[in-house]
Amino acid sequence: MSDSAPANALVLLECLVAGTTHRPGLREFEPKLQPGQPLALAREADSSYDDWAVRVLTSGPGEDFWLGYLPEGRNETVARLLDAGYPLSARLTHKAWEDEWLHLEIEVLLAQ
């Protein structure tokens, strides 16, 4: 486990970040993304596409780059936990370009 997450964090979900091809500026921002880095999760309760939409963002001083979403169909539990105020975060575990698509794998974490 990386130094960026508490040693006792519980991994709730491992998944790809959806929608990366639709994020403007991601190709230029990608070199700043490093496996192990902490990420933030934010509910998008007013989404017209997904009732359980959860944004995945970078976190850090002066940094709030929107990377994409948790995948639809795998996000309801995380959305409900965020709505209830649980301390969730995420961590980048892998990144790779596949043609024009940035493949980002993350872990969703619950601090204990």
Side-chain angles (χ1 to χ4, degrees):
M1 196 167 268
S2 85
D3 293 337
S4 60
N8 61 346
L10 176 66
V11 176
L12 297 178
L13 177 67
E14 295 175 332
C15 64
L16 294 174
V17 176
T20 58
T21 54
H22 305 291
R23 301 306 321 137
L26 185 56
R27 182 169 287 282
E28 295 76 25
F29 189 84
E30 178 270 328
K32 296 180 182 179
L33 296 172
Q34 298 302 319
Q37 88 177 70
L39 301 171
L41 301 172
R43 272 291 271 133
E44 190 177 297
D46 60 350
S47 171
S48 56
Y49 300 103
D50 182 356
D51 291 339
W52 306 111
V54 176
R55 289 184 182 195
V56 179
L57 309 116
T58 58
S59 63
E63 195 177 290
D64 225 13
F65 193 88
W66 179 12
L67 300 171
Y69 289 95
L70 293 185
E72 187 174 6
R74 301 195 63 204
N75 56 358
E76 182 177 351
T77 300
V78 172
R80 287 179 182 274
L81 289 168
L82 286 169
D83 289 348
Y86 282 84
L88 301 185
S89 63
R91 173 177 50 220
L92 182 64
T93 57
H94 178 77
K95 71 172 185 172
W97 283 101
E98 294 180 15
D99 297 318
E100 293 300 309
W101 176 51
L102 181 56
H103 175 107
L104 297 175
E105 295 178 25
I106 65 168
E107 294 175 329
V108 174
L109 306 167
L110 171 64
Q112 293 185 328

